[in-house]
Amino acid sequence: MLRQLKPWRASLAVRLPTSSAWSQSSRAALLSSRSFSSNSVLYDADKIDGNAIAKSIRQEIQKEITEIKRVKPQFNPNLVIIQVGDRPDSSAYVRMKLKAAHEAKLSCELRKFPDSITEAQLLEEIEDLNDDTSVHGILVQLPLPKEINEGRITDAVSIDKDVDGFGTLNIGELSRRGGSPLFVPCTPKGVMVLLEKHKVELRGKNAVVIGRSDIVGTPVASLLRAADATVTVCHRYTQDLASIVKQADVVIAAVGVPDFVKGEWLKPGAVVIDVGINYVPDETKKSGKRLTGDVDYASSAKVASLITPVPGGVGPMTVAMLVQNVVDSAKRHYQEQERRHVTPLPLRLQKPVPSDIDISRSQHPKKIRDLAKEVGITDHELIPYGAYKGKVSLHALKRLEHRKDGKYILVAGITPTPLGEGKSTTTMGLAQALGGHLGKMAFANVRQPSMGPTFGIKGGAAGGGYAQVIPMDEFNMHLTGDIHAISAANNLLAAAIDTRMFHEKSQKDASLYKRLVPKNKFTPSMLKRLKKLGIDKTDPASLTKEEIRKFARLDIDPDTITWKRVVDCNDRHLRTITVGEAPTEKGDIRQTGFDITVASECMAVLALSNSLHDMRERLGNMVVASSRDGVPITCDDLGAGGALTALMKDAIMPNLMQTLEGTPVLVHAGPFANISIGASSVLADKIALKLVGSEPGENHEEKAGYVITEAGFDFTMGGERFFNIKCRSSGLVPDTVVIVATVRALKLHGGGPDVKPGQKLPDAYLNANVDLVRNGCSNLKKQIQNAKSYGVPVVVAINRFSSDSAEEIEIIREEALAAGANDAIASNHWEEGGLGAIDLAKGVIKAANEGSHDDFKLLYDIPNTSAEDKLNIIAREMYGAEKVELSPLAREKIERYTKQGFGNLPICIAKTQYSLSHDPNLKGVPSGFTVPIRDVRASVGAGYLYALAAEIMTIPGLPTYAGFMNVEVDDEGNIDGLF
């Protein structure tokens, strides 16, 4: 563990080992407090050996760093020194600092810049260092060239890295009575340590400081006053200076004049600290000059009781204090990272519960910078988008790679019904209970909602009631533009496909090749295509005619194009369109269509990527069509992989928001749940797991926090894909599955009357009916068994409504436990926020700590299982089907993908979410059915195949009465009408 940092006054104390470098008189002086006498007697002053004390401090620092590293290997205090120009004195000082840092085992880097560097350039360098979390101290070697404002430069250094203590904030805090500077300037701090080490009593004594500089005189006077000395600050022009000095018990000379203070000025027995560094002519020295202080040492040593020599007094201490400040800065940085704590926002609960948008607007969110600081996201890792949302840089993953991941919780549900189960609301309520009431670090990770359902019939996905993401309107509309970036990337690729076919049709091989490689240089994407073709050449001029033809002609078969354009809107009239109608397209007409943006493979790639590099490779590998020879055509064959990555390079960073109670939420990606994983991104989960994780040496079970993420639809669909596709990509293993159920939804599965959104509920759903509940629990039991088959603990969350009876709740609990659930707990987070989910949170904590990743297993092997066998395994084990039946088209597609090398990919099935089967009318737990697979498609870049068991609309239509009709904006810019 890092030692607890003490206030700066206490931190001045440094243990002093006994050393042979110390004289007997110095050792005696150390062991007895100094007394002061006004008697006119001569003293033979003891020399204060700054070299010995500084050496002992460096040794202690080295020992401390070694001790901390033994527990925390990542601890690495790092100092960066900035030097402008080549002044000999500056270079000498820098060499001393580098040497001292090396002796103390600090990382230390010198960045030298020419005199010609501008102030703006220097400020930019400092800003970069301020943002670098691996740097704990920044020292700008003074003086700077006269064209550069020194004050502006020293103030630019972040206060928490200002190890010189020259910044306005640190100096101001030091000067203020009771102030708390993060750093004390090194020379004044060294002076105080010298006095402390020699047990010089300062309380009530007279101290005279000669010199008023901001670097030494003023701060050392503040330190002496803080030690209860009576301080007089003088300078070389002070009248009757000798008489003033004569009254001093302690004299600090920092005037910058050689031998300025004479022995006859001193009070007998005074303690003299000479801070001066002056060079005077001396023909006896090889250099022609010698170093002297501000005090005439020869005469003063006969009067003083203690005196510092020059050199060998304060100078070495200055450097030692610099090293100490860097170590203190590093310790403070690591302690702040370990002290992560989220301060919850209070809720003002109302009954009846207002609308979601009214609840959202009634809460004043935390500023996103404040929330980021609470959870341990550094300033340079946060990119704010307004006041209440921001992006989190992937640099956080690298910085925190040493941490052990926190606990990983997956929220899924029973088979959905029109009544809804409340997975998103439960996700938020659980996070609010863990983070706002049980003192745990807890992230909720959710998908970004498409504006299709937001303006359609379903609404957004912010949760609801007193368990939701805020601000709700920003969450549901645009957010930070990720979906728009994906639209742009997807449509660029669509344009590239049609354009390439057009140009290949209208040009011969040589001219086509010349236009493709106009600068006679291959792009990175072109080099990938050459490698794919087996052409080991990098010089465009070296290709043969046959190689030119193979390289330049993709020869796309229009009938095999799978890539569509996208728009983030429900628009049924774009499902089938014709392109190429303009006369300029020369009759190159083909039929295609639009998908909703979240159905784009680009979105799936975003969700499943593990890094920016991984996303670049996946985007380049996306297969958009086949050639007439059956060769898969990729995004990189079209040369578009780099451009798509450029459009999505910001979108890869997760978005930070917050729950209604001020706990953190990462919102990222939103892959279409029918044909993809229907879950938030791998990167959001990985970053959150590190942010809530434990440091080496900490008790993981006590310190680890929780990341609650959500799977689309029920566990049979969303959970199965989460494990077999998302977990394969991420390598992560959930610690617990939470399955959400409601009394109402179970009644529907148990044979209750049909319901339709917006219509009055039949009495069966408003009054107790234990038979319907018990019958419907068959669906819940199947979901529990499915989840348990992966070797993960299961907790059932009973999302409670006011109409639910205690007997109905108890029946669900009995049936869940009988099916193997670790627990089944009622939760009222919609009405009460985190307070209503405390019991659920405790149950999740218990289950997460009881499980073991050693028990985890996936549903099927990848290399040893054919695509058809995988489909059969999913249908039998997850759905309860007898088998799948492939259409001729589906079988032909599987054979093609297998031949092309894609048969070893995981697979998912696009089917209705309203039944365990492919038929939405089959409620409860149907059995003995056959799942018809009419088509199979490939998302090669994302890394999976998907089979279609039903007609899945990848761009929904709008209803007669659509959600957008409710939306209005008032004169203040507030959005109303969202639900």
Side-chain angles (χ1 to χ4, degrees):
M1 292 290 293
L2 296 175
R3 295 175 185 170
Q4 181 66 34
L5 285 173
K6 301 175 182 178
W8 64 267
R9 294 182 185 85
S11 69
L12 292 176
V14 182
R15 287 174 296 191
L16 187 66
T18 56
S19 168
S20 58
W22 284 66
S23 65
Q24 291 295 326
S25 58
S26 294
R27 193 171 290 126
L30 176 63
L31 297 174
S32 60
S33 295
R34 287 286 167 182
S35 59
F36 300 90
S37 171
S38 60
N39 296 330
S40 298
V41 295
L42 293 180
Y43 280 72
D44 183 13
D46 284 335
K47 184 188 295 184
I48 298 176
D49 192 343
N51 281 321
I53 298 176
K55 180 180 179 181
S56 71
I57 292 170
R58 292 195 302 272
Q59 290 172 341
E60 284 295 315
I61 291 171
Q62 179 181 347
K63 181 180 177 183
E64 182 178 24
I65 292 173
T66 301
E67 181 183 323
I68 295 173
K69 275 182 170 289
R70 193 174 294 119
V71 180
K72 299 184 176 296
Q74 75 278 5
F75 182 75
N76 185 36
N78 185 15
L79 170 66
V80 174
I81 299 174
I82 293 176
Q83 182 183 356
V84 178
D86 289 308
R87 283 178 55 120
D89 54 346
S90 291
S91 296
Y93 296 145
V94 167
R95 283 194 298 272
M96 285 170 33
K97 293 166 184 174
L98 291 171
K99 181 181 178 183
H102 176 75
E103 289 176 354
K105 304 298 183 185
L106 262 68
S107 295
C108 189
E109 176 190 353
L110 172 62
R111 295 193 182 182
K112 290 191 70 171
F113 301 99
D115 287 327
S116 58
I117 190 172
T118 66
E119 184 175 297
Q121 290 172 324
L122 191 55
L123 288 170
E124 185 177 347
E125 290 289 337
I126 292 172
E127 189 61 35
D128 287 344
L129 292 172
N130 285 338
D131 286 343
D132 189 342
T133 56
S134 69
V135 175
H136 306 108
I138 303 170
L139 185 151
V140 181
Q141 183 62 46
L142 303 179
L144 295 171
K146 63 180 185 298
E147 296 83 8
I148 296 177
N149 185 308
E150 288 187 353
R152 194 172 293 131
I153 296 300
T154 53
D155 278 349
V157 176
S158 175
I159 185 174
D160 59 346
K161 299 186 181 185
D162 177 28
V163 289
D164 246 345
F166 291 167
T168 300
L169 292 174
N170 276 316
I171 288 293
E173 281 296 308
L174 182 62
S175 301
R176 186 172 65 88
R177 183 178 179 183
S180 299
L182 290 181
F183 300 103
V184 175
C186 300
T187 298
K189 184 175 180 178
V191 168
M192 298 302 289
V193 171
L194 288 177
L195 293 173
E196 183 180 5
K197 290 305 172 185
H198 286 78
K199 298 196 179 234
V200 175
E201 178 63 45
L202 293 172
R203 176 168 291 178
K205 303 301 181 182
N206 290 324
V208 170
V209 179
I210 309 173
R212 50 186 171 173
S213 74
D214 291 333
I215 295 175
V216 180
T218 299
V220 83
S222 297
L223 291 171
L224 289 166
R225 277 194 293 270
D228 296 325
T230 300
V231 183
T232 304
V233 178
C234 304
H235 49 84
R236 62 191 299 182
Y237 303 112
T238 299
Q239 293 186 7
D240 204 13
L241 179 58
S243 298
I244 297 173
V245 173
K246 197 72 172 180
Q247 305 302 313
D249 300 313
V250 177
V251 177
I252 313 292
V255 70
V257 179
D259 301 329
F260 183 71
V261 177
K262 310 301 182 185
E264 57 267 27
W265 293 11
L266 301 175
K267 175 181 181 179
V271 176
V272 179
I273 305 296
D274 189 351
V275 185
I277 299 178
N278 310 288
Y279 286 95
V280 295
D282 189 338
E283 295 179 358
T284 65
K285 302 294 182 182
K286 185 177 180 180
S287 63
K289 58 185 178 181
R290 64 178 171 84
L291 185 63
T292 187
D294 291 350
V295 176
D296 179 20
Y297 187 86
S299 62
S300 298
K302 296 177 181 178
V303 182
S305 60
L306 283 172
I307 191 169
T308 56
V310 177
V314 175
M317 291 298 297
T318 298
V319 179
M321 294 301 100
L322 170 64
V323 173
Q324 183 71 65
N325 279 353
V326 175
V327 173
D328 287 347
S329 177
K331 287 160 64 177
R332 184 183 298 111
H333 169 78
Y334 285 101
Q335 286 171 1
E336 286 177 353
Q337 291 299 303
E338 293 172 9
R339 279 198 300 263
R340 292 157 286 146
H341 174 71
V342 173
T343 302
L345 298 175
L347 292 180
R348 294 174 290 277
L349 302 175
Q350 298 181 47
K351 288 188 179 181
V353 176
S355 70
D356 291 348
I357 189 67
D358 286 340
I359 292 173
S360 173
R361 192 163 293 146
S362 70
Q363 181 66 285
H364 186 71
K366 297 176 185 176
K367 293 295 175 61
I368 201 65
R369 286 191 181 277
D370 295 337
L371 177 62
K373 186 174 182 180
E374 286 183 336
V375 300
I377 297 170
T378 65
D379 282 346
H380 93 287
E381 291 166 352
L382 179 73
I383 304 167
Y385 278 65
Y388 305 120
K389 60 183 184 288
K391 284 194 163 293
V392 180
S393 167
L394 304 190
H395 293 150
L397 264 183
K398 177 66 176 175
R399 176 174 63 85
L400 301 174
E401 63 183 351
H402 63 279
R403 280 188 187 166
K404 186 175 181 179
D405 287 348
K407 300 292 185 177
Y408 196 24
I409 312 300
L410 173 65
V411 176
I414 61 172
T415 300
T417 72
L419 292 167
E421 291 67 55
K423 291 196 307 295
S424 298
T425 306
T426 300
T427 298
M428 295 304 144
L430 182 54
Q432 290 174 204
L434 287 165
H437 297 269
L438 298 181
K440 301 288 186 180
M441 287 292 296
F443 272 80
N445 283 8
V446 293
R447 289 184 293 166
Q448 178 182 348
S450 165
M451 284 189 287
T454 296
F455 290 141
I457 193 170
K458 181 177 179 292
Y466 287 102
Q468 58 172 296
V469 185
I470 58 171
M472 178 191 172
D473 51 351
E474 294 187 27
F475 174 80
N476 281 301
M477 296 178 127
H478 302 294
L479 198 57
T480 58
D482 293 350
I483 291 180
H484 300 314
I486 289 165
S487 296
N490 182 99
N491 294 340
L492 173 62
L493 183 55
I497 295 168
D498 288 314
T499 298
R500 186 59 172 264
M501 290 193 298
F502 173 83
H503 288 302
E504 286 190 25
K505 185 177 179 180
S506 60
Q507 299 180 56
K508 294 183 178 180
D509 292 349
S511 60
L512 179 64
Y513 181 68
K514 184 177 181 180
R515 286 180 172 86
L516 282 172
V517 195
K519 297 181 180 178
N520 203 33
K521 182 179 180 182
F522 291 128
T523 66
S525 290
M526 292 176 179
L527 292 172
K528 287 187 176 186
R529 173 156 176 77
L530 288 168
K531 184 178 180 180
K532 172 181 174 179
L533 295 171
I535 301 173
D536 187 19
K537 295 180 180 179
T538 57
D539 180 6
S542 66
L543 268 64
T544 67
K545 287 185 178 180
E546 180 59 26
E547 288 171 339
I548 286 174
R549 184 182 184 286
K550 286 172 64 178
F551 171 82
R553 294 211 173 271
L554 302 181
D555 198 22
I556 295 172
D557 181 352
D559 292 337
T560 67
I561 296 173
T562 57
W563 201 260
K564 295 182 178 181
R565 288 164 174 83
V566 298
V567 62
D568 188 32
C569 179
N570 289 357
D571 192 342
R572 68 179 70 246
H573 289 87
L574 291 178
R575 288 171 183 164
T576 301
I577 64 168
T578 302
V579 295
E581 294 277 7
T584 53
E585 308 315 311
K586 302 178 181 179
D588 195 15
I589 298 171
R590 72 180 182 90
Q591 192 176 80
T592 180
F594 271 74
D595 289 335
I596 195 166
T597 300
V598 291
S600 168
E601 187 177 349
C602 292
M603 176 63 87
V605 165
L606 180 73
L608 290 167
S609 294
N610 288 275
S611 65
L612 181 61
H613 175 77
D614 187 29
M615 184 175 79
R616 168 64 184 88
E617 294 302 303
R618 288 173 181 266
L619 289 172
N621 291 336
M622 293 188 303
V623 174
V624 300
S626 294
S627 71
R628 297 183 192 276
D629 293 333
V631 177
I633 304 300
T634 68
C635 175
D636 268 341
D637 286 329
L638 289 155
L644 266 64
T645 307
L647 287 167
M648 292 172 58
K649 73 178 182 65
D650 291 336
I652 198 174
M653 294 183 287
N655 305 291
L656 180 65
M657 295 189 75
Q658 61 194 286
T659 67
L660 205 63
E661 295 190 54
T663 62
V665 179
L666 286 183
V667 184
H668 200 214
F672 204 67
N674 286 102
I675 63 171
S676 186
I677 61 168
S680 64
S681 76
V682 165
L683 280 168
D685 291 354
K686 286 190 168 183
I687 289 173
L689 285 166
K690 291 300 182 186
L691 287 168
V692 305
S694 61
E695 294 282 342
E698 291 180 334
N699 184 318
H700 183 66
E701 298 305 317
E702 292 181 3
K703 187 69 176 180
Y706 294 79
V707 175
I708 305 101
T709 192
E710 183 184 340
F713 299 144
D714 62 351
F715 182 86
T716 296
M717 289 184 69
E720 182 272 315
R721 298 164 190 209
F722 186 93
F723 282 111
N724 291 304
I725 297 178
K726 185 176 178 181
C727 288
R728 286 187 198 274
S729 177
S730 68
L732 300 173
V733 177
D735 294 281
T736 299
V737 171
V738 175
I739 294 180
V740 182
T742 63
V743 169
R744 293 178 180 184
L746 290 174
K747 285 179 178 178
L748 183 58
H749 281 295
D754 287 339
V755 296
K756 292 183 178 180
Q759 294 185 4
K760 183 180 178 181
L761 285 177
D763 289 343
Y765 299 104
L766 300 175
N767 301 316
N769 191 320
V770 294
D771 291 335
L772 285 180
V773 172
R774 193 176 294 278
N775 290 339
C777 280
S778 60
N779 186 277
L780 172 62
K781 291 167 74 173
K782 175 59 176 171
Q783 304 290 357
I784 294 170
Q785 291 162 6
N786 284 348
K788 294 285 287 185
S789 70
Y790 293 89
V792 179
V794 174
V795 174
V796 173
I798 307 168
N799 185 14
R800 187 165 194 167
F801 287 74
S802 58
S803 59
D804 300 342
S805 71
E807 188 177 6
E808 290 171 324
I809 296 292
E810 186 56 32
I811 286 172
I812 298 174
R813 177 174 169 77
E814 289 175 6
E815 296 288 343
L817 295 177
N822 291 57
D823 210 340
I825 303 166
S827 182
N828 192 21
H829 40 273
W830 185 79
E831 280 190 317
E832 299 179 350
L835 182 66
I838 289 176
D839 289 342
L840 175 61
K842 289 179 178 178
V844 167
I845 291 172
K846 185 173 184 290
N849 289 331
E850 289 175 348
S852 170
H853 288 184
D854 294 338
D855 299 328
F856 180 69
K857 56 186 176 182
L858 293 170
L859 194 60
Y860 51 79
D861 291 331
I862 285 293
N864 303 318
T865 312
S866 70
E868 184 175 359
D869 286 344
K870 292 169 194 166
L871 291 172
N872 273 303
I873 291 170
I874 293 171
R876 285 196 308 265
E877 301 299 324
M878 295 288 103
Y879 308 160
E882 183 178 339
K883 63 180 180 178
V884 299
E885 184 175 78
L886 301 180
S887 71
L889 175 63
R891 190 170 297 280
E892 183 269 326
K893 288 280 198 74
I894 285 178
E895 289 174 356
R896 181 198 305 172
Y897 294 142
T898 301
K899 184 178 179 180
Q900 292 176 339
F902 309 137
N904 63 342
L905 294 175
I907 196 166
C908 63
I909 301 176
K911 70 175 189 68
T912 180
Q913 66 268 34
Y914 296 117
S915 171
L916 286 168
S917 74
H918 61 286
D919 183 350
N921 296 314
L922 297 179
K923 302 300 183 184
V925 184
S927 61
F929 56 92
T930 296
V931 179
I933 303 297
R934 63 178 184 84
D935 195 2
V936 177
R937 297 176 184 173
S939 292
V940 176
Y944 61 87
L945 306 177
Y946 63 96
L948 279 69
E951 287 289 343
I952 300 299
M953 294 297 179
T954 51
I955 182 165
L958 290 169
T960 304
Y961 186 84
F964 69 81
M965 297 178 179
N966 299 310
V967 178
E968 274 297 345
V969 180
D970 65 21
D971 293 342
E972 302 299 320
N974 297 312
I975 298 173
D976 290 314
L978 291 173
F979 60 98

